[in-house]
Amino acid sequence: MTATPPPEPPGLPEPTGTPPRPPGTVPDPEVLPVLADSVRLDGDTVLILDRRCFPFDLRWVRCGTVEEVARAIEDMVTQSSGPYFAALGAMVLAARAAHHHRDPAAARADLTAAGARIIAARATNNHLATAVRAVVTEVDRAGTPTGSALVEAALTGARAGDRRYRDRSRALGEHTAALLPDGASVLTHCWADLYLVDTVAALGRHGKRVRYYCTETRPYLQGARLTAETLAEMGVDTTLITDGMGASVIATGQITHLVTAADRVTMDGHVINKVGTLQLATAAHAYAVPFLAQVQAPDPAAPTAADVPIEHRDGTEVLHTLGRRTASSRVRGHYPAFDITPPRFVRTVVTDRGPFDPAHLADYHDDTRPDPAPAPDEEATP
């Protein structure tokens, strides 16, 4: 894996583009933002757009091995939906590396080891396990082949996993847009990736005006750099606020809805997302602003919040922003990457199958519902 550290703030060029839209404009549903296609499988390489320096620098990180993909995920080269697509590519790389085995069991063992390394890269979000399973399931369906047949089966699984994720994200976006009225003023936190893109595109298709407020989301500034730029690309009236302003903006009546992605939602309705979500959810609850949490599906392998490991990152990351130290060497940092919002603060969990009350998430997996439930291998964490 080759990459250079993110640039420091001074001298960063301003991204070019259209000027901000007036408040309440309708998004352009035809715009495909840069970050909607930021992980690519290119032969024997997984290319990942480095989100640590976006939008000021469009820099691609080339990963030629499973280990390099795992390190890119750990090092925050990509986040949110990005690791899912990177994991699909990594499993194809693993199949290419194992194709020389004549023994199917040895090839399968290599895939298992590769999948375990990828899943361990970031354990809180179950996207990685879902991506690994998409590829491994197709390999097993093909009879655990070897040689070129192994690589082809892995490619088939990765392509199907890519298509399925995007289809479900579009459905989730449609369901979310249906809950937002014309003229909604949305507060969001961190970076919802394709959930955000597909929600905004759906609002545009339905002719609904919207404005967004984004928290900057320290220490990596995903909200300032990823969310705000993507919204602006799509023609949304976008306002950036600091992480400490959320409750104040809600209290002054500027927000009609709080909408965030969820890294995971437990079956009893707890929402696990980027740290800082809890404080926004409690403020929204206090001022009767509905909180809509987006996730493709609640996780049946996580009955309660106690079943979800919360990643704690190196505290020194809190002491830096964009490569520059922002606190004295005499202090320490503390960085739980995610927090847990209890269901009493969540109005609705929006999935690819529609909205659910947090108290009734078991209904998502009810096979008697009109829409078919996702295949079991898509949602259960190993």
Side-chain angles (χ1 to χ4, degrees):
M1 179 177 68
T2 57
T4 55
E8 293 192 0
L12 290 175
E14 288 295 328
T16 59
T18 57
R21 296 276 188 102
T25 51
V26 177
D28 186 345
E30 301 303 320
V31 170
L32 182 68
V34 171
L35 293 178
D37 181 25
S38 59
V39 179
R40 302 171 185 173
L41 180 63
D42 182 20
D44 293 334
T45 302
V46 176
L47 297 175
I48 305 175
L49 185 64
D50 194 340
R51 296 180 178 183
R52 297 170 302 180
C53 53
F54 182 87
F56 309 110
D57 189 6
L58 298 183
R59 181 182 308 158
W60 292 85
V61 173
R62 303 180 67 89
C63 301
T65 66
V66 170
E67 179 61 27
E68 289 181 347
V69 173
R71 290 208 310 270
I73 293 170
E74 290 170 339
D75 293 343
M76 301 289 283
V77 174
T78 186
Q79 313 97 26
S80 193
S81 300
Y84 174 86
F85 297 108
L88 291 175
M91 293 306 292
V92 175
L93 297 185
R96 292 189 192 281
H99 88 284
H100 65 280
H101 286 300
R102 294 185 178 181
D103 178 8
R108 184 62 173 79
D110 281 3
L111 287 187
T112 299
R117 175 65 182 101
I118 289 295
I119 291 170
R122 299 198 74 185
T124 299
N125 190 313
N126 59 348
H127 278 348
L128 296 176
T130 302
V132 168
R133 195 176 301 106
V135 175
V136 169
T137 297
E138 185 60 35
V139 169
D140 290 344
R141 186 177 290 125
T144 316
T146 59
S148 60
L150 170 64
V151 176
E152 188 56 40
L155 278 168
T156 298
R159 289 166 183 154
D162 183 295
R163 183 171 58 254
R164 188 160 48 242
Y165 188 95
R166 293 180 187 276
D167 288 346
R168 296 178 71 187
S169 178
R170 278 191 289 273
L172 182 154
E174 283 286 347
H175 291 306
T176 306
L179 298 175
L180 298 174
D182 184 32
S185 182
V186 176
L187 174 62
T188 192
H189 182 55
C190 199
W191 165 234
D193 214 305
L194 289 185
Y195 297 178
L196 175 76
V197 172
D198 285 316
T199 296
V200 171
L203 287 167
R205 285 192 295 272
H206 293 288
K208 291 184 176 181
R209 296 168 298 159
V210 66
R211 69 175 67 178
Y212 265 80
Y213 287 77
C214 310
T215 58
E216 60 182 352
T217 323
R218 275 187 38 82
Y220 282 91
L221 302 180
Q222 293 103 315
R225 297 181 301 99
L226 311 183
T227 302
E229 177 67 10
T230 295
L231 288 167
E233 282 184 77
M234 299 185 75
V236 176
D237 173 43
T238 305
T239 300
L240 181 66
I241 63 174
T242 67
D243 288 349
M245 292 181 188
S248 176
V249 172
I250 290 171
T252 54
Q254 298 175 67
I255 304 300
T256 64
H257 295 76
L258 171 64
V259 181
T260 76
D263 284 82
R264 204 181 305 200
V265 174
T266 64
M267 294 308 298
D268 65 353
H270 286 80
V271 171
I272 293 88
N273 193 45
K274 173 69 179 182
V275 67
T277 303
L278 173 59
Q279 64 193 29
L280 296 175
T282 54
H285 181 76
Y287 289 94
V289 170
F291 173 29
L292 312 182
Q294 299 176 300
V295 70
Q296 289 190 358
D299 185 3
T304 71
D307 299 296
V308 180
I310 300 299
E311 177 186 4
H312 281 70
R313 297 185 64 82
D314 189 334
T316 59
E317 294 182 20
V318 176
L319 308 178
H320 299 78
T321 301
L322 296 184
R324 167 170 288 185
R325 191 175 180 95
T326 54
S328 162
S329 59
R330 295 185 293 181
V331 301
R332 69 174 63 90
H334 175 59
Y335 188 8
F338 303 92
D339 60 25
I340 303 170
T341 300
R344 67 181 180 274
F345 299 128
V346 183
R347 177 72 59 85
T348 305
V349 175
V350 189
T351 74
D352 65 332
R353 299 185 69 186
F356 289 82
D357 185 293
H360 298 104
L361 291 177
D363 292 347
Y364 178 94
H365 298 287
D366 181 356
D367 289 335
T368 66
R369 287 174 57 89
D371 292 333
D377 60 296
E378 277 300 294
E379 295 307 331
T381 304

